[in-house]
Amino acid sequence: MSTQEIEQLRERALRELAEATSQEALADWHARYLGRRGEVTQRLRQLGSLAPEERPAVGRALNELKQRLESAYEDRERQVRESELAERIAAETVDVTLPGRRPAIGTLHPVTQMIREVTDIFAHLGFQVVEGPEVEYGYYAFDALNIPPEHPARDVWDTIFIESEHKEIVLRPHTSPMQIRVMERRQPPVRVVVPGRCYRYEAVDATHEWHFHQIEGLAVDERITMADLKGTLAEFARQLFGRERRVRFRCDFFPFVEPGVDFAIDCMFCRGEGCRVCGGSGWIEILGAGMVHPQVLRNVGYDPERYTGWAFGMGVERLVMLKYGVPDIRYFYQGDLRFLAQFDRIPL
Ligand code: DAH
């Protein structure tokens, strides 16, 4: 074996080492040159078959080659390890300056939002917010509200009855029973608003649901007048539907108020000119109201000579439909997120 051959072996080994760019290729290279059956190792083993005078020079050259290749291997191995790591870091880099992905959180149901908006308005006017049972005695739903059994007015509320042997029990068809429950439990002055779910035995269509929500209002004290009612409702309507709203009272009948009124605002879609929403009249009725009937006050033990009061009741779905132009009440209860997600103005 000549020094020239050893020189060629060295050049080939170093060239191939420079071409190895992965840990695998390096391991393969190491086995081929420096492993047990590697070219350098085998040549060292064959030293014994050389002529004695050749051995020292070839032996020294081979040992130098072996050391040279070992240290070149270590350098190369470190280089490859570092560049593999650098590649991985580059590939896995997270750009922390990118905007985050907003997690999908829900929104409040439009009816819940409207209940909060309306009760907020009344809370700022001095009303307390209270709630009552959805399963109600007939006494509170009707009798105490001056709607006796067999009275034709009872048919106005298409009631869902719950079976009971002793007492009439219903799913409340309106929130008015809470007028009685509140007045039974406290003395004037009374100022409450009552949001809640109601039920009626009703054919469902674009403007009727068999369950829906109402907000009841009640104010009772000495010297409460219809002017207070009008002022309070006008302020409420203007906060909810715009400061420029005009308001209208007209006579209406409800057994638990006398006189009874319907309360309307000028149509915010056509500003009173007449359009599809207001049915051409220019006015939109938004609630029923009136002065609490003296018999109702008597039913809760209030002296109608001393106390007067007024009450009102409104449908919440209808308010949402008017405020946002929702054409069909059935949308509220179909659980369709494409509809519901549009009402994301008020955070949870
Ligand atoms: N309870 C009535 C209804 O469901 C609405 C109503 C009208 C409530 C007049 C009142 C009122 O408090 O004074 O149709």
Side-chain angles (χ1 to χ4, degrees), residues 104-118:
I105 52 168
T107 59
L108 289 180
H109 192 280
V111 166
T112 308
Q113 292 189 30
M114 182 55 80
I115 286 174
R116 293 199 179 175
E117 201 173 344
V118 171

Side-chain angles (χ1 to χ4, degrees), residues 161-326:
F161 290 87
I162 304 255
E163 283 214 50
S164 158
E165 285 180 24
H166 312 294
K167 275 185 165 176
E168 187 182 43
I169 297 180
V170 303
L171 293 183
R172 65 177 174 197
H174 54 177
T175 42
S176 302
M178 273 303 283
Q179 291 185 30
I180 307 300
R181 287 182 174 274
V182 167
M183 287 191 287
E184 272 184 349
R185 258 179 262 153
R186 42 175 112 166
Q187 290 303 306
V190 168
R191 279 190 196 81
V192 292
V193 281
V194 187
R197 178 178 270 189
C198 304
Y199 304 81
R200 285 188 197 176
Y201 184 68
E202 191 107 59
V204 172
D205 64 24
T207 52
H208 298 86
E209 261 286 2
W210 67 275
H211 71 111
F212 55 94
H213 295 75
Q214 285 191 343
I215 297 173
E216 193 81 11
L218 176 69
V220 184
D221 201 354
E222 293 176 3
R223 287 184 296 279
I224 292 254
T225 72
M226 205 146 178
D228 304 317
L229 173 63
K230 194 175 178 187
T232 303
L233 291 181
E235 177 58 24
F236 157 68
R238 286 170 186 152
Q239 285 197 35
L240 191 61
F241 289 110
R243 291 309 320 172
E244 69 279 17
R245 287 282 76 71
R246 291 180 294 139
V247 299
R248 183 192 74 180
F249 267 171
R250 279 200 315 190
C251 288
D252 202 347
F253 174 76
F254 303 95
F256 33 89
V257 283
E258 182 58 36
V261 296
D262 82 51
F263 176 73
I265 53 178
D266 65 319
C267 178
M268 53 279 194
F269 295 99
C270 62
R271 300 192 167 247
E273 306 236 312
C275 69
R276 208 168 38 81
V277 177
C278 59
S281 74
W283 293 96
I284 294 176
E285 290 158 21
I286 59 171
L287 55 82
M291 300 304 293
V292 179
H293 197 289
Q295 186 57 47
V296 172
L297 295 175
R298 250 177 252 123
N299 290 344
V300 298
Y302 284 7
D303 177 4
E305 297 301 321
R306 181 170 174 201
Y307 296 115
T308 53
W310 39 254
F312 59 82
M314 62 185 114
V316 181
E317 284 80 358
R318 185 171 154 73
L319 293 180
V320 181
M321 290 168 80
L322 289 170
K323 185 150 184 177
Y324 300 105
V326 177

Side-chain angles (χ1 to χ4, degrees), residues 83-98 101:
S83 79
E84 276 183 355
L85 181 64
E87 254 171 56
R88 245 182 77 193
I89 288 172
E92 291 174 11
T93 294
V94 174
D95 182 352
V96 293
T97 66
L98 284 176
R101 269 178 230 132

Side-chain angles (χ1 to χ4, degrees), residues 311-346:
F312 59 82
M314 62 185 114
V316 181
E317 284 80 358
R318 185 171 154 73
L319 293 180
V320 181
M321 290 168 80
L322 289 170
K323 185 150 184 177
Y324 300 105
V326 177
D328 194 313
I329 195 173
R330 287 168 292 195
Y331 287 140
F332 291 114
Y333 301 108
Q334 284 169 344
D336 188 334
L337 290 176
R338 291 171 302 176
F339 171 72
L340 296 173
Q342 297 177 84
F343 299 86
D344 61 354
R345 297 168 350 113
I346 302 176

Side-chain angles (χ1 to χ4, degrees), residues 14-23 26 29 69-83:
L14 288 176
R15 183 165 15 89
E16 284 180 18
L17 183 63
E19 284 163 7
T21 52
S22 70
Q23 294 287 351
L26 278 174
W29 179 93
L69 291 186
E70 288 286 9
S71 85
Y73 170 79
E74 272 165 35
D75 289 349
R76 183 69 186 142
E77 200 272 338
R78 192 178 331 103
Q79 270 177 19
V80 167
R81 193 160 15 91
E82 278 167 9
S83 79

